[in-house]
Amino acid sequence: MTNVSTIGRQRPGSGIRARLLNQGAYRWYFGTIFGLVYQIAEFVYVWTSGGGLGTELAATGLLVFFYLCYVVLPPLIWPESTRFRTIAIVIYWLATFALIPFVGVFTVWVWTLVAAMVPFCWLGLRATIALGGIVIAAQGVVALIQKDSLGNGTAIAPFVTVSVLISLIAITNQIAANRKLRDAQATIATLAAAEERARLARDLHDVLGHSLTVVAVKSELAGRLVERDPKKAAAEIKDIEQLARTALADLRAAVTSYREMNLDSELSAAKTALEAAGIEAQFPADADAVDEDLRPLFCWVLREGVTNVIRHSNAKRCWVEFESRQLRVRDDGTQSVPRGPSGNGLKGLTERATEAGATLSVARGSGGFSLTVGKAAR
């Protein structure tokens, strides 16, 4: 679980309109459709129970009110503190007890919506399980005290709510992981761009600084010699021409290097990404041991391997190991990764490895997942 400020992108003090119309709120509204469809049974019960027109209208009005609250409450409280969000959910749940005189034991199905709301209020995993567990326990108590619990459906309500809660916890965890990954990627992109700008500036200074300084000095000298010693001035001008050509060649080389993938830069970016995701990175200091012909391939494998660790592994540590013609990325994660190089990323790596005459392999064990690429020595 993560604080909703990283999901809804709203801050305390933002207006009600801003809270209800941000992108995260629209995703929540879409998700609520699935939960509200099943609540149609509540209206069917109200209008077929024979409780009288006044009771039916009052029950319908209350149900509509609580369903609207279910839809808008999470976006409204996302920017607030965890304590505030917790209290708001508890108050909402207690308020649904007002339905009992009108809907009776079928109120427990409205409580399923309360449990569905809890994970998306980003209270943290423990608080989510605790609050959801209390709601489920209340449903269980209602089911136990009903003589005809199987007949009226209250007996299965706790089991349905458990499945809903578990599913939504998994979904919110994936949302949080994706958000962390996107934030890490954005950070990496910013840092990489800054680092490359600094490197390019340094390279341009080193490549052109001396050459242009000499060109300026020789141009000034040639200007003074052009009348006094034309032959010597011509020699200086020829030197200037050669210096300019050399500087231009150096500039092209620097730009070409700038555009190519660099394995050391990829190592630095991968380490930054893992640390941003809370995973300890154990990397070699540099990749000097890697053969030149395999460096571009290893860049792609390193990038994809580290991305998989961040997104899928639930790992605490990640190791990157280099040999001259082999790269291995492994972790100590507990979650499974699709078998074989079948995902889009791994499939693309397999194709790249094949083109380079190398072999890509994946392995799983009690210690986690590993991705290895290697090429036999010539």
Side-chain angles (χ1 to χ4, degrees), residues 3 26 42 59 80 95 99 105 121 151 154 173 176 196 198 215 220 240 313 356:
N3 189 291
Y26 283 120
E42 295 279 2
E80 305 299 337
L99 287 167
V105 295
C121 286
T154 57
N173 280 337
E196 284 301 296
V215 166
E220 183 180 355
I240 292 171
S313 70

Side-chain angles (χ1 to χ4, degrees), residues 125-353:
L125 183 59
R126 291 183 179 179
T128 296
I129 294 175
L131 191 53
I134 293 172
V135 174
I136 293 168
Q139 290 179 318
V141 170
V142 172
L144 288 175
I145 63 177
Q146 293 301 304
K147 296 180 180 179
D148 188 26
S149 59
L150 289 175
N152 59 35
T154 57
I156 65 171
F159 300 100
V160 173
T161 306
V162 167
S163 66
V164 169
L165 184 64
I166 292 174
S167 298
L168 295 184
I169 287 175
I171 291 173
T172 52
N173 280 337
Q174 186 61 46
I175 292 173
N178 288 339
R179 173 61 67 183
K180 287 180 180 179
L181 179 60
R182 286 193 293 271
D183 288 345
Q185 289 174 333
T187 300
I188 292 169
T190 301
L191 293 175
E195 182 178 350
E196 284 301 296
R197 283 195 296 269
R199 187 190 69 82
L200 183 60
R202 184 174 59 250
D203 289 350
L204 290 177
H205 177 274
D206 294 342
V207 168
L208 298 179
H210 174 71
S211 297
L212 293 179
T213 299
V214 175
V215 166
V217 171
K218 282 183 170 290
S219 297
E220 183 180 355
L221 177 59
R224 291 199 301 266
L225 293 173
V226 70
E227 292 183 359
R228 290 187 302 170
D229 192 343
K231 290 184 178 181
K232 193 171 183 180
E236 293 293 340
I237 292 172
K238 187 174 182 180
D239 287 345
I240 292 171
E241 179 184 358
Q242 184 58 42
L243 280 170
R245 292 183 184 278
T246 301
L248 181 60
D250 290 342
L251 176 61
R252 287 172 177 167
V255 171
T256 300
S257 174
Y258 174 72
R259 289 175 179 172
E260 290 176 351
M261 295 183 70
N262 182 278
L263 191 52
D264 288 328
S265 297
E266 288 296 325
L267 273 173
S268 177
K271 186 175 182 180
T272 301
L274 289 166
E275 290 175 349
I279 301 173
E280 180 182 347
Q282 298 191 12
F283 286 12
D286 54 52
D288 291 343
V290 178
D291 288 358
E292 286 294 332
D293 63 319
L294 290 174
R295 285 174 174 266
L297 173 62
F298 283 11
C299 285
W300 290 109
V301 174
L302 178 61
R303 182 180 296 181
E304 179 66 22
V306 168
T307 298
N308 283 342
V309 171
I310 295 172
R311 295 193 64 179
H312 303 299
S313 70
N314 195 29
K316 300 298 182 183
R317 296 181 181 84
C318 175
W319 294 265
V320 172
E321 300 160 355
F322 282 116
E323 295 179 8
S324 62
R325 304 185 71 78
Q326 179 176 285
L327 162 67
R328 177 177 291 111
V329 180
R330 60 187 181 91
D331 61 66
D332 62 353
T334 57
Q335 295 187 10
S336 62
V337 178
R339 292 192 173 275
S342 57
N344 289 333
L346 294 179
K347 182 178 180 181
L349 290 185
T350 302
E351 294 172 353
R352 290 180 184 275

Side-chain angles (χ1 to χ4, degrees), residues 7-143:
I7 303 296
R9 298 300 187 190
Q10 295 295 321
R11 297 180 177 181
S14 56
I16 292 177
R17 180 182 175 85
R19 299 186 186 196
L20 293 177
L21 298 181
N22 73 79
Q23 189 176 20
Y26 283 120
R27 294 194 184 102
W28 165 251
Y29 300 150
F30 178 76
T32 60
I33 294 173
F34 300 97
L36 292 175
V37 165
Y38 294 98
Q39 296 295 314
I40 294 175
E42 295 279 2
F43 292 108
V44 173
Y45 170 77
V46 167
W47 288 93
T48 59
S49 61
L53 181 60
T55 300
E56 292 168 348
L57 290 175
T60 300
L62 283 173
L63 285 171
V64 170
F65 171 76
F66 284 115
Y67 293 154
L68 287 175
C69 289
Y70 164 71
V71 172
V72 303
L73 183 59
L76 285 175
I77 64 176
W78 279 346
E80 305 299 337
S81 65
T82 300
R83 180 180 181 183
F84 185 97
R85 297 197 301 272
T86 303
I87 293 174
I89 295 172
V90 171
I91 292 175
Y92 173 76
W93 179 42
L94 294 177
T96 63
F97 282 65
L99 287 167
I100 294 178
F102 304 94
V103 184
V105 295
F106 278 93
T107 302
V108 298
W109 289 106
V110 178
W111 296 351
T112 300
L113 296 183
V114 178
M117 180 194 304
V118 173
F120 282 95
C121 286
W122 313 98
L123 307 178
L125 183 59
R126 291 183 179 179
T128 296
I129 294 175
L131 191 53
I134 293 172
V135 174
I136 293 168
Q139 290 179 318
V141 170
V142 172

